[in-house]
């Protein structure tokens, strides 16, 4: 017996086929008029796309059937009929229409392949850190204005004024690293960014390891090892899904350590040679990132950016105090920055000065400063954007397709 949804129907008058989808895959069911009771044959005629059914019969291997298995039906029950105006039809639909119907769009084979690969990556992340002795720490989502520079979502919080949805778990991750050594966070993060690019969501998932005693070099080594592990794991375990997405897997096989490393200053020189207007001191934009990765077939580290282009918590570079010990990891094929990481400023006075320069309210950060007052320590960490990473591995152009229900600037439903 199978419970499933009908995806495809075909009948010749004497023999009829219904292709079924049960969430794990598809399976063809066959109705032979001369072999099934008359009422079962009549019920077949009622079926439409997405009718939910219960089917009894005998399964047999059938290489010509989609999914490789066929069920010779003996009984059919209609559980939930589906009106003939089911919105998603086998034709080209515009992206807005598909997103409006995301709850149905998820039923397609392509969306299933993406969801399965995302799940593989998520499980890979947990396995990777678990096997290496990292502790997973869940950091708060409701915070008091602490995080990155981008826009904040605010909500009233009892008598405490505004609470803000977390843009990052990092600062809490640092406190946890002082307590537990090696930790990672895995949670939703929120940015009220008015960006309508193919890389921005307002709600996305971020994985943020934080490691006591790691410096910036250790940090980059961990990043390349981690990212390579995730890519190789998907290649090994999710061949069917990568094929469904027509992903060029040769490009992924290449993703093994070490990744090329480019000093920020050299990166600026490179993009200028290629015609960019970017000047030393600017952050690198999406176009610059594309110019940089064009020369490589692996992810590329750009490291040690100018202080003013980056967040207050990054450690000043002792060899060039105009810069900080940080890195962005740029994915190949133009998928952009998938990781932002840094060694953290562990000097109390320098951190206080940076907070002031950035105009940040010191009282919200007192507990964070405490980490430098009581047993300060060398430490480094990074944030991997899950959707950008999965989009790259899947070869999907836009991050909105790799999360079940994307939150975008102009989209809050479904
Ligand atoms: O570079 P970001 O802003 O770094 C941090 O938040 C640090 N606190 C991380 C850390 O050191 N613990 O963000 C990290 C990554 C980016 O590289 C990108 O992959 C992803 O998060 N990201 C987004 N993904 C989708 N939509 C957005 N609006 C994103 N903003 C950042
Ligand atoms: Mg960044």
């Amino acid at each position: 017996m199978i419970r499933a949804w009908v995806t495809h129907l075909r009948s010749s008058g004497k023999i009829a086929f219904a292709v079924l989808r049960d969430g794990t895959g598809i399976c063809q069911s066959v109705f032979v008029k001369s072999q099934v009771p008359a009422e079962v044959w009549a019920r077949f005629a009622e079926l439409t796309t997405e009718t939910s059914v219960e089917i009894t019969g005998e399964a047999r291997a059938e290489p010509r059937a989609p999914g490789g298995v066929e069920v010779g039906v003996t009984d059919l029950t209609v559980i939930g009929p589906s009106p003939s105006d089911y919105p998603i039809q086998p034709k080209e639909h515009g992206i807005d229409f598909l997103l409006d119907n995301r709850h149905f769009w998820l039923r397609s084979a392509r969306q299933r392949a993406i969801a399965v690969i995302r799940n593989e990556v998520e499980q890979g992340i947990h396995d990777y850190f678990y096997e290496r002795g990292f502790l997973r720490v869940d950091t708060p989502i409701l915070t008091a204005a602490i995080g990155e520079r981008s826009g904040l979502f605010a909500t009233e919080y009892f008598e405490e004024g505004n609470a803000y949805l977390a843009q990052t778990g990092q600062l809490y991750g640092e406190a946890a690293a002082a307590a537990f050594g090696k930790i990672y966070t895995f949670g939703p993060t929120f940015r009220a960014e008015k960006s309508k690019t193919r890389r921005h969501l307002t709600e996305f998932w971020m994985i943020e390891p934080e490691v006591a005693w790691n410096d910036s070099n250790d940090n980059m080594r961990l990043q390349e090892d981690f990212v390579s592990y995730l890519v190789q794991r998907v290649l090994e375990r999710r061949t069917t899904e990568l094929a469904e997405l027509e992903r060029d897997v040769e490009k992924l096989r290449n993703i093994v350590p070490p990744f090329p490393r480019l000093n920020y200053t050299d990166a600026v020189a490179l993009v200028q040679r290629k015609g960019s207007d970017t000047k030393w001191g600017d952050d690198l934009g999406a176009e610059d990132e594309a110019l940089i990765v064009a020369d490589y077939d692996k992810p590329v580290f750009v490291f040690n950016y100018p202080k003013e282009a980056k967040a207050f918590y990054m450690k000043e570079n002792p060899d060039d105090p105009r810069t900080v010990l940080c890195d962005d990891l740029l994915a190949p094929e133009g998928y952009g920055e998938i990781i932002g990481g840094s060694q953290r400023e562990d000097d109390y006075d320098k951190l206080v000065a940076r907070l002031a320069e950035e105009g940040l309210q010191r009282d919200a950060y007192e507990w964070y400063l405490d980490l430098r007052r009581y047993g300060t320590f060398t430490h480094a960490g990074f944030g991997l954007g899950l959707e950008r990473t999965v989009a790259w591995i899947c070869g999907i152009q836009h991050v909105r397709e790799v999360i079940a229900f994307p939150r975008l600037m102009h989209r809050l439903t479904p």
Side-chain angles (χ1 to χ4, degrees):
M1 193 260 287
I2 323 175
R3 290 184 181 135
W5 290 261
V6 173
T7 69
H8 205 75
L9 293 159
R10 184 156 56 90
S11 173
S12 73
K14 288 189 189 124
I15 180 161
F17 300 90
V19 178
L20 307 173
R21 172 181 53 76
D22 74 346
T24 66
I26 56 170
C27 161
Q28 176 164 286
S29 61
V30 191
F31 298 71
V32 180
K33 190 175 181 184
S34 59
Q35 289 170 17
V36 294
E39 66 273 17
V40 170
W41 184 256
R43 260 179 249 140
F44 176 89
E46 293 167 26
L47 298 181
T48 56
T49 309
E50 296 303 323
T51 299
S52 52
V53 294
E54 192 174 290
I55 277 181
T56 314
E58 204 166 302
R60 54 190 176 240
E62 171 49 70
R64 285 168 303 173
V69 177
E70 192 172 79
V71 173
V73 176
T74 54
D75 198 9
L76 161 70
T77 310
V78 171
I79 311 282
S82 171
S84 60
D85 60 355
Y86 182 68
I88 300 204
Q89 296 293 328
K91 60 166 195 176
E92 286 286 314
H93 290 292
I95 185 66
D96 283 324
F97 180 86
L98 288 171
L99 286 170
D100 286 343
N101 289 282
R102 184 64 172 164
H103 49 302
F104 291 137
W105 188 21
L106 285 179
R107 300 180 184 192
S108 73
R110 173 182 159 95
Q111 295 305 317
R112 180 175 187 282
I114 296 170
V116 167
I117 291 174
R118 179 183 170 113
N119 183 63
E120 189 63 49
V121 171
E122 291 190 358
Q123 192 60 46
I125 290 165
H126 292 306
D127 290 348
Y128 180 89
F129 288 124
Y130 188 86
E131 285 160 12
R132 287 160 185 77
F134 285 65
L135 207 65
R136 178 178 174 181
V137 175
D138 300 320
T139 53
I141 289 168
L142 292 167
T143 64
I146 211 160
E148 300 294 323
R149 285 172 170 177
S150 41
L152 286 162
F153 287 109
T155 181
E156 259 173 59
Y157 196 79
F158 309 109
E159 312 287 299
E160 301 295 312
N162 273 337
Y164 302 91
L165 297 183
Q167 298 171 319
T168 169
Q170 177 199 320
L171 306 197
Y172 298 98
E174 289 182 50
F180 311 125
K182 296 194 282 187
I183 67 96
Y184 75 105
T185 73
F186 191 136
T189 45
F190 306 86
R191 299 203 182 170
E193 289 176 310
K194 294 195 169 133
S195 317
K196 288 189 278 183
T197 78
R198 59 194 180 89
R199 297 175 190 171
H200 287 88
L201 295 162
T202 54
E203 177 180 306
F204 64 99
W205 290 69
M206 188 157 46
I207 294 84
E208 297 183 271
E210 193 70 35
V211 185
W213 313 115
N214 264 12
D215 66 12
S216 192
N217 275 325
D218 302 327
N219 199 30
M220 285 189 268
R221 268 200 292 277
L222 179 62
Q223 290 165 51
E224 64 194 6
D225 189 63
F226 176 53
V227 167
S228 302
Y229 168 89
L230 296 176
V231 171
Q232 296 307 321
R233 174 158 166 152
V234 172
L235 270 176
E236 269 165 38
R237 301 192 190 199
R238 296 299 162 195
T239 11
T240 317
E241 286 76 17
L242 289 168
E244 171 69 40
L245 299 173
E246 296 172 4
R247 181 64 166 113
D248 179 354
V249 290
E250 284 315 310
K251 295 213 162 83
L252 296 178
R253 284 197 213 293
N254 227 2
I255 310 305
V256 287
F259 296 166
R261 295 182 186 191
L262 210 58
N263 190 303
Y264 168 85
T265 303
D266 296 338
V268 170
L270 173 82
V271 298
Q272 285 175 346
R273 271 203 307 282
K274 293 188 173 191
S276 167
D277 297 331
T278 298
K279 292 175 299 299
W280 200 99
D282 298 343
D283 202 358
L284 301 175
E287 281 157 33
D288 291 329
E289 291 174 358
L291 294 175
I292 294 168
V293 298
D295 290 356
Y296 302 93
D297 50 14
K298 284 187 188 187
V300 181
F301 287 113
V302 178
F303 65 93
N304 295 3
Y305 282 66
K307 221 176 244 178
E308 36 319 342
K310 291 290 176 190
F312 73 93
Y313 51 70
M314 297 185 179
K315 185 173 174 63
E316 186 180 282
N317 178 5
D319 296 332
D320 179 359
R322 297 175 307 160
T323 63
V324 283
L325 298 175
C326 71
D327 69 88
D328 280 0
L329 183 64
L330 312 179
E333 303 173 66
Y335 284 90
E337 178 200 323
I338 52 170
I339 285 182
S342 62
Q343 189 173 333
R344 317 308 188 185
E345 185 55 79
D346 46 9
D347 181 281
Y348 177 84
D349 295 324
K350 288 203 163 112
L351 192 56
V352 168
R354 284 294 289 138
L355 283 169
E357 276 165 34
E358 292 283 312
L360 294 166
Q361 287 299 325
R362 186 175 151 162
D363 42 331
Y365 294 88
E366 282 304 333
W367 67 264
Y368 185 68
L369 289 167
D370 276 349
L371 305 176
R372 282 73 184 168
R373 273 192 209 104
Y374 299 90
T376 194
F377 63 127
T378 303
H379 61 295
F382 62 89
L384 172 108
L386 181 64
E387 287 75 16
R388 290 191 192 173
T389 305
V390 173
W392 162 50
I393 294 176
C394 289
I396 300 285
Q397 287 304 312
H398 201 303
V399 289
R400 67 191 164 206
E401 234 186 298
V402 306
I403 183 163
F405 294 99
R407 292 293 170 253
L408 301 158
M409 194 179 154
H410 294 297
R411 182 167 294 280
L412 201 49
T413 54

